[in-house]
Amino acid sequence: MEFSKETRKKFEQVLQRYPRKEAALLPTLYLAQEEFGYLSAEVVQYVAELMEIPAPRVYGVATFYTMFNKEPVGRYHIQVCSNVSCALRGVEQLVEYLKEKLKINVGETTPDKKFTLSTVECLGFCDNSPAMQINDDYYSDLTRDKIDEILEKLK
Amino acid sequence: MPKLVIDGREISVPEGTTILRAAERLGIEIPHLCYHPKLPPVGLCRLCLVEVEKNPKLQASCSTPVAEGMVIHTESERVLKARRGVLEFLMLNHPPDCTICDKAGECKPQEYVFQCGIAESRFIETKRVNPPQDFGDKLVFRVDRCILCQRCVQFCREIAGMEELGVFNRGGRSVIGTFRGKPVENKYSGNMIDICPTGAITSRDFRFKSRVWNLTMVPSICPRCSNGCNIFIEFKDNKILRIRPRDNEQVNQCWICDEGRFGHHFVNSLDRLTTPLIKNGGKLSPTSWEEALGRAAEGLGRVIANYGAESLGGIGSAWCTNEDDYVFQKFLREVVRTGNIDLGKIREEKDESYPGNDFLIQPEKAPNRRGAEEMGISPGEDCRDREGMFKEAAGGKIKAFLIIGSNPAKETGAREALAKVEFLVVQDLFLTDTAKQADVVLPAASYAEKEGSFTNFRGRVQWLNRALRPRGEARPDWKIICELANRMGGDFSYPGAQEILKEIAEKIPAYREVSLEKLRADGILISTK
Ligand code: SF4
Ligand code: SF4
Ligand code: FES
Ligand code: FES
């Protein structure tokens, strides 16, 4: 297990941005997630060695943030906000709807590895809640119809 | 120095002192869980909240430095309410299993909940249950009892220098753990049993052996290496059940290594010698002290009479106390009149590749090499050292040995040499290979079964108190030597080890400052030559 040449380069650049190596841990974990899909124990070990930080500390950071996946995820990672504003605007029913539609529970991946469904903390779209994020894109003012439409477009 | 008032009492403390420390000086203990005097304050548990006048919010006393003119209340209604609240939170997921918890009786939350008088929990939800985790063969980790104070994590990082534990996940789901189930391997891990304020980390060796309040504690010195860590021997029914560190800032602070903590089982071993043995027709068999000592005195006396005093050699011990070794060499020099005296071989071990902070353990795996040498366990002028003695024994010049607390038969050449001598007396805890070759074997008391002093590698002399009755009929080495000396024309009438210590202070210049009182306190550094 090793970063590709390209990621390695990005990593070197990331290091430049911080006064201490340890400070670059979060962006490095992101790079690792991009490269390897998710942060398996092996990946955490690799990053720990690369950054010269004890592995338990790296694993602590990796597990603290929900943005890091500790399990493999599908091609599309649907992250639905479950915080207050979205909750007040009925996101719970939408999560139920997604569960029925995809036939999986929260935290699971469809058998064809296409979708993973998670709930996350506030996405910063409270003014247009309910909101969700799929990979790097955000969707707000969600309704059932809108969800149908969005998922339809994802191949 | 800022001046402040705590619970109506004025105090001045150096700049930078925390409120908690300042209160301590007034004898006020502010309840705390995550704070530990030897670890950096993390301010995690919030139990140490106090009221600082003019400050709208309660402050964590463990991490708030004092300031000029502060007026602090540690027992106000607000503080007590907050304390009860914090405890109630900390106990939310804690199982009510004090009945079977090894920490009961010395558990911090247990004590504080008792003090605060919280009888009921308002938590009606299901308690969190986490999968069990294995911390290896020294520690037992019960994740559900953990209150996430992170002392253990801090200990590994700051003291042991091997960051083997971490905090994983977030918020209510946080758990302490090892990465990928790797067992905890630092050589000081047992200290986490002491500093974990709950029963989350307990000792695999000690657990379920006794309720802690049934143990008797006696202050002593660890015999496993030459660092001389201060310990408590904790025992019940004349059996050591656990060893714990005893504070001594000069030596071990509040820590000990795992070898010292768990390596006490030899004392209670069923293989210990319990009676004197004498060889009859090539076989060792039990006998009385009277007969054994008589046989030893007669055998050694015969060799001296036939071949002269220089035909006798003595091997002293770095495992024995100064008092043992002092009497031993005095016997050889003044009664036998030989200077063929040397120290048994000491195992040396240095782990160069150890990745952690090896801050206590010394390579010398015996407690008293330095003391033994200073007591005179070294060859006199024109006399033989250990190797010389074995060479001469092999060559037939040395005819008898008196060996205490060491096992030279393991060394090349020594076994054959020992087989050749006419008479061999051995004092030991066990029937070692050397003892098996002896004509008389005398059972010796272990460090836990006698009084005396050890001198650590730095020259600090410290006192061991007797915790246990000697196993079987075993006796302290110095006592055995005295009996032997008296049977061979000497007059050794020490009532106890303390009187020998007095003589050491008189006779050995470097030890002139030693006294029982000083040794019992923090020990004393001997004057270096
Ligand atoms: S295991 Fe003990 S020391 Fe470690 S965090 Fe939990 S309660 Fe604190
Ligand atoms: S460092 Fe040496 S003296 Fe200290 S506890 Fe360990 S073995 Fe005993
Ligand atoms: S609460 Fe859902 S976006 Fe803020
Ligand atoms: S002791 Fe101060 S916050 Fe824990």
Side-chain angles (χ1 to χ4, degrees):
Chain A
M1 169 159 314
E2 216 180 325
F3 276 166
S4 63
K5 251 206 189 124
E6 216 171 294
T7 311
R8 182 87 210 185
K9 227 192 209 145
K10 283 190 200 160
F11 169 63
E12 303 292 346
Q13 283 163 359
V14 160
L15 284 185
Q16 301 299 312
R17 297 211 306 261
Y18 297 91
R20 285 187 309 124
K21 206 170 178 190
E22 183 167 356
L25 181 55
L26 284 180
T28 306
L29 284 172
Y30 265 122
L31 289 178
Q33 176 154 305
E34 259 171 40
E35 172 110 29
F36 305 113
Y38 71 104
L39 301 182
S40 64
E42 290 77 30
V43 173
V44 168
Q45 181 76 49
Y46 170 69
V47 171
E49 279 160 25
L50 193 68
M51 306 279 298
E52 294 165 312
I53 302 173
R57 205 187 304 174
V58 176
Y59 189 59
V61 171
T63 54
F64 185 85
Y65 295 100
T66 48
M67 299 78 161
F68 293 125
N69 305 316
K70 269 66 69 184
E71 302 283 336
V73 288
R75 206 145 21 103
Y76 297 105
H77 188 188
I78 307 174
Q79 305 179 58
V80 189
C81 172
S82 62
N83 262 185
V84 180
S85 307
C86 294
L88 289 171
R89 305 257 299 162
V91 83
E92 269 176 62
Q93 286 88 314
L94 294 181
V95 171
E96 286 310 311
Y97 179 63
L98 275 163
K99 276 161 66 174
E100 269 166 42
K101 191 173 161 75
L102 301 171
K103 299 192 179 59
I104 52 173
N105 272 318
V106 174
E108 289 177 357
T109 302
T110 51
D112 61 359
K113 305 266 191 302
K114 190 167 173 189
F115 295 110
T116 299
L117 179 62
S118 312
T119 56
V120 295
E121 309 304 326
C122 179
L123 293 172
F125 275 86
C126 306
D127 50 342
N128 296 88
S129 53
M132 71 177 179
Q133 175 184 357
I134 301 180
N135 297 352
D136 290 334
D137 299 317
Y138 291 86
Y139 303 89
S140 51
D141 293 312
L142 294 176
T143 59
R144 287 180 181 224
D145 291 344
K146 213 161 166 194
I147 285 176
D148 287 343
E149 217 177 282
I150 293 163
L151 294 195
E152 191 53 39
K153 288 204 193 115
L154 298 175
K155 282 287 157 278
Chain B
M1 292 226 296
K3 208 192 261 171
L4 63 156
V5 176
I6 306 178
D7 292 347
R9 292 158 67 193
E10 212 168 81
I11 186 173
S12 289
V13 289
E15 195 87 40
T17 310
T18 60
I19 298 176
L20 189 139
R21 289 273 206 167
E24 231 168 48
R25 291 199 180 190
L26 288 170
I28 300 169
E29 198 211 304
I30 301 172
H32 57 272
L33 287 166
C34 63
Y35 165 78
H36 185 281
K38 295 289 177 202
L39 300 172
V42 283
L44 272 169
C45 72
R46 314 317 281 177
L47 189 63
C48 67
L49 294 176
V50 295
E51 189 171 347
V52 181
E53 277 186 16
K54 302 209 184 81
N55 220 313
K57 279 171 73 181
L58 299 180
Q59 303 290 309
S61 60
C62 68
S63 39
T64 310
V66 296
E68 180 62 38
M70 268 186 172
V71 180
I72 294 158
H73 303 280
T74 75
E75 296 284 328
S76 66
E77 208 29 65
R78 261 183 88 200
V79 172
L80 293 182
K81 186 163 179 239
R83 197 175 289 164
R84 277 195 294 269
V86 169
L87 275 173
E88 193 178 346
F89 268 126
L90 287 170
M91 292 295 99
L92 282 190
N93 282 301
H94 194 91
D97 65 349
C98 303
T99 45
I100 51 146
C101 178
D102 240 36
K103 197 75 174 184
E106 47 194 24
C107 166
K108 281 289 166 187
Q110 189 183 55
E111 191 180 316
Y112 294 144
V113 170
F114 177 78
Q115 269 172 22
C116 289
I118 309 167
E120 269 167 42
S121 167
R122 287 171 287 174
F123 188 67
I124 51 167
E125 290 77 4
T126 336
K127 287 189 188 259
R128 179 189 62 192
V129 178
N130 281 304
Q133 277 201 58
D134 192 359
F135 272 16
D137 53 9
K138 295 184 278 199
L139 310 178
V140 176
F141 182 54
R142 280 286 317 269
V143 58
D144 296 325
R145 291 188 188 135
C146 171
I147 50 149
L148 291 159
C149 70
Q150 294 195 28
R151 278 185 179 186
C152 53
V153 178
Q154 296 279 335
F155 173 83
C156 286
R157 182 185 303 180
E158 304 288 336
I159 309 290
M162 271 167 84
E163 200 165 326
E164 300 182 274
L165 299 180
V167 195
F168 308 140
N169 304 322
R170 162 153 61 167
R173 292 186 201 92
S174 297
V175 286
I176 299 293
T178 60
F179 181 56
R180 307 175 92 174
K182 199 173 161 288
V184 178
E185 271 167 356
N186 77 72
K187 295 183 189 172
Y188 299 86
S189 68
N191 292 299
M192 290 187 272
I193 301 163
D194 302 331
I195 62 169
C196 175
T198 74
I201 299 180
T202 56
S203 159
R204 196 175 293 284
D205 184 57
F206 171 69
R207 71 178 187 148
F208 307 146
K209 295 237 170 83
S210 169
R211 303 265 73 181
V212 295
W213 52 85
N214 290 330
L215 297 173
T216 310
M217 290 163 69
V218 168
S220 188
I221 304 298
C222 174
R224 308 295 290 179
C225 84
S226 61
N227 199 52
C229 293
N230 292 211
I231 55 167
F232 281 113
I233 297 176
E234 303 194 8
F235 64 97
K236 195 174 82 171
D237 302 332
N238 210 46
K239 255 182 97 169
I240 299 180
L241 292 184
R242 67 175 180 181
I243 299 291
R244 285 205 302 161
R246 179 164 60 91
D247 290 4
N248 187 334
E249 282 304 313
Q250 313 298 324
V251 183
N252 53 302
Q253 296 98 49
C254 57
W255 318 114
I256 52 173
C257 79
D258 290 351
E259 174 65 32
R261 184 182 299 265
F262 303 121
H264 61 76
H265 292 276
F266 72 97
V267 173
N268 296 136
S269 163
L270 291 177
D271 295 335
R272 285 277 302 274
L273 291 168
T274 54
T275 65
L277 308 172
I278 50 174
K279 196 162 266 174
N280 278 325
K283 252 192 79 194
L284 283 168
S285 45
T287 183
S288 67
W289 272 105
E290 225 11 74
E291 191 174 352
L293 287 166
R295 174 81 72 94
E298 182 234 328
L300 294 175
R302 184 164 22 89
V303 168
I304 298 167
N306 291 348
Y307 311 99
E310 56 295 348
S311 63
L312 201 139
I315 309 270
S317 173
W319 278 82
C320 286
T321 61
N322 287 326
E323 291 67 21
D324 293 329
D325 280 321
Y326 175 80
V327 170
F328 179 73
Q329 61 84 37
K330 184 176 170 183
F331 163 65
L332 289 167
R333 290 203 160 91
E334 293 181 11
V335 179
V336 176
R337 297 191 177 280
T338 177
N340 293 335
I341 305 171
D342 205 354
L343 202 54
K345 197 169 187 168
I346 300 159
R347 190 162 57 89
E348 299 236 1
E349 219 176 76
K350 183 110 188 91
D351 191 351
E352 300 289 353
S353 61
Y354 181 62
N357 174 14
D358 213 353
F359 65 111
L360 294 176
I361 301 170
Q362 298 305 318
E364 233 167 43
K365 300 301 168 204
N368 199 36
R369 192 263 317 150
R370 180 167 174 162
E373 280 172 8
E374 283 162 347
M375 291 305 112
I377 305 294
S378 56
E381 223 174 298
D382 291 331
C383 297
R384 308 294 148 264
D385 64 3
R386 188 174 69 238
E387 275 174 27
M389 283 190 264
F390 289 134
K391 223 175 258 155
E392 292 208 339
K397 256 178 97 183
I398 283 192
K399 298 285 189 192
F401 274 110
L402 172 57
I403 299 177
I404 68 172
S406 78
N407 186 15
K410 286 187 301 194
E411 297 161 39
T412 36
R415 187 190 204 102
E416 297 71 36
L418 289 173
K420 279 196 112 175
V421 296
E422 279 185 22
F423 200 69
L424 177 60
V425 180
V426 173
Q427 294 177 198
D428 209 307
L429 270 59
F430 296 98
L431 193 62
T432 59
D433 288 342
T434 307
K436 279 180 193 152
Q437 289 185 274
D439 296 278
V440 180
V441 181
L442 303 166
S446 72
Y447 83 104
E449 300 157 345
K450 64 184 174 193
E451 283 194 315
S453 61
F454 285 154
T455 307
N456 81 352
F457 78 105
R458 284 208 175 85
R460 181 166 294 273
V461 194
Q462 309 185 93
W463 192 251
L464 290 85
N465 294 289
R466 195 184 107 150
L468 311 178
R469 290 188 310 278
R471 170 60 70 91
E473 295 174 27
R475 292 179 183 175
D477 288 281
W478 65 265
K479 220 174 201 164
I480 305 175
I481 301 292
C482 286
E483 298 263 5
L484 204 53
N486 292 341
R487 280 174 173 74
M488 295 176 70
D491 179 17
F492 283 26
S493 52
Y494 304 102
Q498 303 184 10
E499 284 73 19
I500 305 172
L501 181 72
K502 272 197 199 114
E503 189 172 315
I504 291 172
E506 282 162 22
K507 293 275 169 64
I508 300 178
Y511 282 68
R512 62 184 175 272
E513 305 278 329
V514 305
S515 71
L516 192 60
E517 294 66 46
K518 288 187 206 155
L519 299 201
R520 276 204 166 132
D522 273 357
I524 177 174
L525 262 188
I526 52 157
S527 350
T528 33
K529 294 152 263 181

